[in-house]
Amino acid sequence: MAPPPRRLLLVLLGFLAAASLATLAAAVYEDQVGLADWHQKYIGKVKQAVYHTQKSGRRRVVVLTEENVIASLDLRSGDIFWRHVIEKNNPIDQLSLSAGKYVVTLSSGGSILRAWNLPDGQMIWETNIHTSTSSKSLLHVLSNSKVVKDNLVLVLAGQWIYAVSSIDGVISWGKEFTLDGLEIKQVVQSPDNDIVYVVGIAGSSKLAVYQLNAKTGEIVKDAQESLPDGLCGEILLGSSNVLVALDETRSALFIVDFKGESISYNKVQISEFVQDFSGTVKLLPLMSNGIIALQSSSTVSLLKLKGMDGLEVIHSFDQPASVSDALTITEKDEAFAVVQHVGSQIEFIVKVTSDLTNEIIREKVDIDQHRGSVQKVFLNNYVRTDKSHGFRALVVMEDHSILLIQQGAVVWSREDGLASIVDVMTSELPVEKDGVSVADVEHNLFEWLKGHVLKLKGTLMLASVDELAAIQALRVRSSEKNKMTRDHNGFRKLLIVLTKAGKVIALHTGDGRIIWSNLLPSLRASKSGEMPSALRIYQWQVPHHRVIRENPTILVVGRSGASSVAPGVLCILDSYSGEELNSQSFDHSVAQIIPLTLKDSSEQRLHLIVDSNSNAHLYPRSPDALNSFINEMSNQYFYSVDIQKNAIRGYSLQKSCDFNSDDTYCFSTKLLWSIIFPSDAERISVSEARKMNEVVHTQAKIIADQDVMYKYLSKNLIFVATVSPKAAGEIGSAAPEEASLMAYLIDAVSGRILHRVTHHGAQGPVHAVVSENWVVYHYFNLRAHRFEIAVIEIYDQSRADNKDVLKLILGKHNLSAPMTSYSRPEVMVKSQSYFFTHSVKAMAVTQTAKGITSKQLLIGTTGDQVLALDKRFLDPRRSLNPTQQEKEEGIIPLTDSLPIIPQNC
């Protein structure tokens, strides 16, 4: 019996498609799927470092970073011995070493104290500490020989001080100070006895000093003194009995004797001893006996205490410069380091407090200029074979990288800015074709010749050990997957990332090596201390294949300051070399960036940048781009999601700005619609939309009974999830009866709600991804105490009549009719939800050049694993007992949970 005409047509189309692709097919083996080609670990910008260089055990440095990571690094190579990424809601305030074998960390405003085993990083114990207020906390490890046998650690937070044993975490004693508004700033241990001095500020002007017995916590003595003009809160220990405090105006210093019968002080103006003093200043935590460091906008000054009489300037360094903490090298002597920039080098200077006029070390070190200026320096010493002291320093750079400097050279470096990526994109590699020299494809001719010389020496067995290692690295780099040219299947690419520091880094997807990096000058901190912020990275220009010799370019957009109303900046970079081709500062802010599908004649992609006044600015600013945009402006719409005001708004564009009609590249916006959710019932949790460059292979879906369902493929479809107010917190913060999650499908042009579903007893965090005609989102079910993943598929019913093959042949169909958001669409929605065993922090979906390959859902778990889940498992048409036809279609029998396949993790 002959098959029906519709089925025959589909069979013929499938055969033709298979025949046309037969000569182009390429794949990977099944056992290769899901395997990691490379894996790199980073820690982030270091804000505190503690060395452990005892003769027993491996030399290491334990660091705390701004990404809330604690890690132990090998001092010889910079490799990670161990690391712990702590959740963001438990920020680590400080770390220290205790008894030579414990790493002690204080977190959550002084409320959680933990001890970790130094060799392997395992947690030994955890102690919860009661604190009255959420203020800056301090951690101090007692080092006095009379009390060190107890291995006590002092924790100071708010008006409380606790002594905790570092061996088992047991609280030995706790003391609350009764002075209202007291904020503890310093703790000083007496070298002669078991007395501990606690220094704090009450209000803005009252200085309080308490003497405590370190063994019992008993207050031996206390004193208070009101200082004129108030204090800004910065207090440092100048010497064993003198404190130095900065006044509220930051123009004068108080020199305070705190160990006498009463508190005495002397106020000195900074302008009296610092020449050309201007701008605001701050005290640097040098913590050296009799030496303090003062930083202004232009200089870093080293000052020596002259008792209570005043200070004198020893040396001044031009900014940028950084000063280390003092390091005890003998019983009476301390050393500290200063690192400053000298041309294209950095200068490493070490001084000792006993002879400040001379320098133990002054070395110039060559560094990569794309690392920026020095931010922090941590000094460490070691004993040379001749019994003299040598010094090394861990240097933190502006791009968040770290360097270990020793004997005038960089021993190792780590690109830890990659721990704080704010945006990422991919870029194609150059095409390999006949007539292109190796120097164009690889780095340059010199590198090419160097590689051949090394290989020749290896063949003749003349290569040294280092040269053999270099040969092996060259072989790995020149392997098929690591070439610097485009492959046939498009797997080899450049992964271009934008970091929080404003640095753009290109990684090769073959092995993860860094191809180039560029710390953008427009996104570097200004001399006034204003910190720019990097926002997004986009494709700017992809040249046509006929002019392939021209390199593609990328666009980086940021702000000149941390504020949302700060003026924006724009940078254009070459994708292959990282060279900055152009940069521009805006006279308007950046509230939203909208990449358009339009291009100008040079194939530069058009972008709209919306400012805080809801005016849209067109880039690139060229007549050609303007003409292209004007022709399509009536079809351009955008929306904004305001989580603070709990509203979504849709806009169209008008021809000129209201405030500046002379700027032809500025367009005013018109509010078309708005959806304001009632704050007492719903709060916006997440919003997602389809990617503008997503390719859909077919708009029809053939189901088991040979029927046709047409996908609703509007690029204006957005998904919005809201939660009830009590369910907006952490999991478990609301009862099931108080929690609910609402999912919306909204048309971004008309503001029409196409579909709405409510999940009772559910709460966030919500993660979602939108692709083609479906949405997948992840949430927590409080009633079942399990995570769930739900799927919604939306179909266009207005094309449901286009199922007759005869009508298709005769052209009597509406498949080619344009889809419009102005008319109310006839849609059909199918949905289903499944239990899922993992918590999620990111979701994405695979994309291919033609959209033919079946979709895989990529799920990033909180355990830092990536799980690939076939979209077939999230088919809302799954049933317990699928029919034979549904089985042939590939529908999987329904289960309440989604499977976790180890090979896909």
Side-chain angles (χ1 to χ4, degrees):
M1 182 171 153
R6 179 172 63 244
R7 186 175 181 183
L8 178 60
L9 178 63
L10 293 172
V11 170
L12 288 172
L13 288 174
F15 176 79
L16 290 173
S20 63
L21 294 174
T23 58
L24 302 177
V28 294
Y29 291 104
E30 184 178 0
D31 60 352
Q32 294 176 304
V33 175
L35 297 179
D37 288 329
W38 49 270
H39 180 214
Q40 298 175 352
K41 292 182 179 181
Y42 298 101
I43 57 176
K45 184 179 181 180
V46 174
K47 62 180 182 180
Q48 188 181 356
V50 182
Y51 291 93
H52 181 264
T53 55
Q54 295 182 1
K55 292 183 179 180
S56 60
R58 304 180 70 175
R59 291 180 172 86
R60 65 184 72 212
V61 56
V62 183
V63 296
L64 170 62
T65 74
E66 293 182 357
E67 298 303 313
N68 218 34
V69 174
I70 54 172
S72 175
L73 306 180
D74 189 344
L75 265 182
R76 297 181 185 275
S77 62
D79 295 336
I80 297 176
F81 284 134
W82 54 263
R83 68 165 189 165
H84 293 293
V85 183
I86 311 300
E87 57 272 14
K88 293 292 184 181
N89 58 0
N90 182 18
I92 301 177
D93 306 315
Q94 204 171 348
L95 69 76
S96 184
L97 296 183
S98 176
K101 56 183 178 180
Y102 302 120
V103 179
V104 182
T105 61
L106 185 64
S107 57
S108 298
S111 62
I112 300 177
L113 186 68
R114 296 186 179 100
W116 315 80
N117 192 30
L118 180 61
D120 57 14
Q122 292 187 5
M123 190 169 72
I124 307 298
W125 51 258
E126 177 182 299
T127 299
N128 292 316
I129 297 174
H130 169 73
T131 55
S132 55
T133 58
S134 57
S135 60
K136 182 181 178 181
S137 57
L138 295 175
L139 178 67
H140 180 81
V141 178
L142 292 176
S143 58
N144 193 313
S145 59
K146 295 183 179 181
V147 293
V148 75
K149 61 183 179 180
D150 299 324
N151 294 293
L152 292 181
V153 176
L154 298 184
V155 176
L156 303 96
Q159 295 178 270
W160 281 88
I161 178 172
Y162 291 92
V164 184
S165 171
S166 63
I167 297 175
D168 53 14
V170 175
I171 297 176
S172 298
W173 54 262
K175 187 71 178 179
E176 183 181 16
F177 303 105
T178 57
L179 182 61
D180 291 337
L182 179 68
E183 186 176 352
I184 298 173
K185 295 293 184 181
Q186 285 288 338
V187 57
V188 182
Q189 185 179 352
S190 174
D192 303 322
N193 50 43
D194 56 2
I195 295 296
V196 172
Y197 295 85
V198 177
V199 181
I201 298 175
S204 61
S205 61
K206 182 172 287 188
L207 183 70
V209 178
Y210 298 87
Q211 296 182 29
L212 281 78
N213 187 306
K215 294 182 178 180
T216 63
E218 178 187 357
I219 296 179
V220 178
K221 182 182 176 182
D222 68 281
Q224 300 174 14
E225 183 69 34
S226 294
L227 302 181
D229 300 328
L231 299 168
C232 72
E234 294 184 16
I235 299 179
L236 292 178
L237 182 66
S239 64
S240 60
N241 62 332
V242 174
L243 294 169
V244 178
L246 196 58
D247 78 335
E248 199 165 19
T249 62
R250 294 181 179 269
S251 61
L253 292 173
F254 287 101
I255 303 173
V256 182
D257 184 351
F258 66 95
K259 287 189 177 180
E261 291 297 323
S262 61
I263 297 175
S264 59
Y265 66 90
N266 179 26
K267 184 178 181 181
V268 293
Q269 297 293 325
I270 297 175
S271 57
E272 294 178 4
F273 50 84
V274 177
Q275 300 294 326
D276 301 324
F277 163 70
S278 63
T280 59
V281 299
K282 66 177 182 178
L283 291 171
L284 298 180
L286 177 58
M287 302 295 287
S288 176
N289 191 14
I291 307 296
I292 66 170
L294 194 68
Q295 177 181 302
S296 66
S297 57
S298 58
T299 60
V300 173
S301 301
L302 298 179
L303 311 175
K304 184 177 181 180
L305 273 171
K306 299 187 296 183
M308 292 291 293
D309 298 330
L311 301 117
E312 62 176 345
V313 178
I314 305 169
H315 203 294
S316 291
F317 301 91
D318 292 333
Q319 288 276 45
S322 185
V323 183
S324 75
D325 287 345
L327 177 68
T328 301
I329 53 176
T330 63
E331 290 184 0
K332 297 182 179 180
D333 223 349
E334 293 176 316
F336 61 91
V338 180
V339 179
Q340 64 175 347
H341 287 262
V342 180
S344 61
Q345 300 173 312
I346 60 172
E347 194 169 41
F348 177 47
I349 303 168
V350 178
K351 290 176 174 283
V352 292
T353 54
S354 60
D355 186 9
L356 294 168
T357 57
N358 295 320
E359 298 153 350
I360 299 180
I361 292 177
R362 179 182 282 266
E363 299 170 339
K364 291 185 178 180
V365 183
D366 294 319
I367 62 166
D368 183 0
Q369 293 307 300
H370 289 299
R371 296 192 184 278
S373 59
V374 175
Q375 300 287 295
K376 289 180 182 292
V377 56
F378 302 94
L379 185 65
N380 179 240
N381 71 310
Y382 59 93
V383 179
R384 299 190 182 106
T385 54
D386 61 356
K387 304 301 181 181
S388 64
H389 287 282
F391 294 90
R392 61 172 74 95
L394 188 72
V395 179
V396 183
M397 304 301 293
E398 186 180 357
D399 66 340
H400 299 184
S401 63
I402 55 176
L403 319 172
L404 186 75
I405 295 175
Q406 185 175 334
Q407 296 180 354
V410 177
V411 179
W412 52 260
S413 64
R414 291 181 53 87
E415 197 71 53
D416 280 302
L418 288 169
S420 54
I421 294 173
V422 296
D423 201 10
V424 61
M425 62 166 288
T426 58
S427 178
E428 295 289 352
L429 286 164
V431 175
E432 185 175 12
K433 56 184 180 179
D434 296 335
V436 179
S437 66
V438 178
D440 289 337
V441 175
E442 302 293 344
H443 289 295
N444 51 53
L445 185 59
F446 175 75
E447 292 292 330
W448 181 79
L449 291 172
K450 180 181 176 182
H452 278 68
V453 170
L454 282 174
K455 290 176 183 178
L456 180 61
K457 292 179 72 175
T459 304
L460 299 175
M461 303 182 69
L462 299 175
S464 64
V465 175
D466 291 339
E467 288 174 334
L468 288 173
I471 292 170
Q472 182 62 28
L474 282 172
R475 286 173 180 168
V476 171
R477 189 176 301 177
S478 61
S479 66
E480 188 65 26
K481 72 174 185 177
N482 296 333
K483 285 186 176 180
M484 282 298 295
T485 55
R486 197 177 307 179
D487 65 317
H488 177 70
N489 295 313
F491 290 144
R492 285 200 301 264
K493 293 181 184 292
L494 285 179
L495 198 63
I496 302 179
V497 301
L498 175 64
T499 69
K500 189 189 297 183
K503 190 172 188 178
V504 185
I505 303 173
L507 308 173
H508 196 290
T509 57
D511 56 1
R513 71 182 186 274
I514 295 177
I515 304 302
W516 55 260
S517 62
N518 191 346
L519 181 62
L520 302 179
S522 304
L523 295 177
R524 294 182 61 182
S526 61
K527 291 185 178 180
S528 62
E530 187 74 18
M531 290 298 297
S533 55
L535 295 177
R536 297 296 301 272
I537 184 169
Y538 297 95
Q539 194 76 54
W540 178 253
Q541 183 183 31
V542 181
H544 194 270
H545 66 277
R546 293 177 181 173
V547 287
I548 200 67
R549 297 288 295 185
E550 186 177 345
N551 294 348
T553 54
I554 57 175
L555 165 70
V556 179
V557 181
R559 295 192 183 105
S560 59
S563 171
S564 60
V565 296
V569 293
L570 173 151
C571 304
I572 309 296
L573 280 76
D574 188 306
S575 293
Y576 294 164
S577 64
E579 178 187 358
E580 185 174 359
L581 304 176
N582 188 19
S583 65
Q584 182 178 350
S585 298
F586 304 153
D587 56 0
H588 58 82
S589 59
V590 179
Q592 190 174 356
I593 308 163
I594 306 170
L596 304 176
T597 57
L598 305 175
K599 298 181 181 179
D600 62 10
S601 59
S602 62
E603 301 207 16
Q604 292 183 126
R605 296 192 177 184
L606 275 57
H607 292 73
L608 282 178
I609 297 181
V610 184
D611 61 23
S612 56
N613 297 318
S614 297
N615 292 307
H617 304 263
L618 179 66
Y619 293 90
R621 297 172 71 90
S622 65
D624 187 19
L626 183 62
N627 292 334
S628 300
F629 178 74
I630 292 294
N631 293 334
E632 296 291 336
M633 189 176 70
S634 59
N635 294 322
Q636 302 298 324
Y637 300 86
F638 72 95
Y639 69 96
S640 65
V641 179
D642 191 336
I643 295 179
Q644 299 296 327
K645 296 182 179 179
N646 215 35
I648 305 174
R649 298 179 177 87
Y651 301 87
S652 64
L653 299 166
Q654 296 179 333
K655 284 195 173 181
S656 61
C657 285
D658 296 330
F659 72 95
N660 188 1
S661 58
D662 296 334
D663 188 356
T664 57
Y665 299 96
C666 180
F667 302 87
S668 61
T669 58
K670 179 182 178 182
L671 180 64
L672 297 180
W673 57 269
S674 63
I675 299 175
I676 301 176
F677 299 97
S679 298
D680 57 345
E682 299 179 56
R683 291 183 183 175
I684 296 175
S685 176
V686 69
S687 65
E688 291 290 341
R690 278 181 60 192
K691 290 188 177 180
M692 299 302 291
N693 61 346
E694 184 183 33
V695 178
V696 180
H697 176 60
T698 176
Q699 61 179 320
K701 183 175 183 178
I702 312 301
I703 58 178
D705 59 358
Q706 304 304 313
D707 200 0
V708 181
M709 299 172 66
Y710 291 96
K711 303 173 185 176
Y712 184 79
L713 295 175
S714 172
K715 290 191 175 182
N716 300 316
L717 182 69
I718 57 175
F719 168 80
V720 177
T722 65
V723 295
S724 55
K726 291 188 177 181
E730 296 181 359
I731 293 176
S733 60
E737 298 76 18
E738 301 171 326
S740 62
L741 183 148
M742 283 67 69
Y744 296 86
L745 295 179
I746 302 173
D747 188 286
V749 174
S750 63
R752 185 178 289 113
I753 297 176
L754 304 177
H755 180 66
R756 178 182 184 271
V757 62
T758 302
H759 300 274
H760 296 287
Q763 73 170 123
V766 182
H767 298 276
V769 63
V770 182
S771 178
E772 294 191 357
N773 67 318
W774 51 265
V775 181
V776 172
Y777 53 101
H778 176 276
Y779 57 91
F780 188 77
N781 188 328
L782 290 169
R783 297 185 189 276
H785 302 285
R786 298 176 72 177
F787 290 102
E788 286 187 359
I789 287 184
V791 57
I792 300 175
E793 291 186 357
I794 182 168
Y795 295 93
D796 189 354
Q797 288 294 91
S798 64
R799 303 170 188 263
D801 295 334
N802 301 312
K803 300 176 182 179
D804 194 306
V805 175
L806 185 59
K807 286 185 177 181
L808 292 174
I809 295 174
L810 297 176
K812 294 182 178 180
H813 57 79
N814 63 349
L815 289 178
S816 60
M819 181 179 290
T820 175
S821 294
Y822 295 115
S823 61
R824 184 176 184 85
E826 299 177 31
V827 297
M828 177 182 67
V829 173
K830 293 182 177 293
S831 60
Q832 183 63 272
S833 60
Y834 307 89
F835 289 127
F836 191 65
T837 56
H838 288 283
S839 58
V840 171
K841 63 180 180 182
M843 291 179 72
V845 65
T846 56
Q847 284 184 263
T848 54
K850 303 299 181 183
I852 300 174
T853 308
S854 59
K855 298 285 186 179
Q856 295 277 328
L857 195 68
L858 300 178
I859 301 172
T861 68
T862 52
D864 290 331
Q865 287 182 311
V866 178
L867 169 67
L869 187 64
D870 197 315
K871 172 59 176 62
R872 293 186 303 153
F873 288 108
L874 290 161
D875 192 330
R877 296 189 301 118
R878 288 176 64 185
S879 59
L880 287 172
N881 298 303
T883 64
Q884 184 61 34
Q885 290 177 319
E886 288 175 334
K887 290 180 180 178
E888 292 176 359
E889 183 189 342
I891 291 181
I892 302 171
L894 179 65
T895 56
D896 60 349
S897 299
L898 293 171
I900 303 298
I901 304 172
Q903 289 82 0
N904 290 354
C905 293

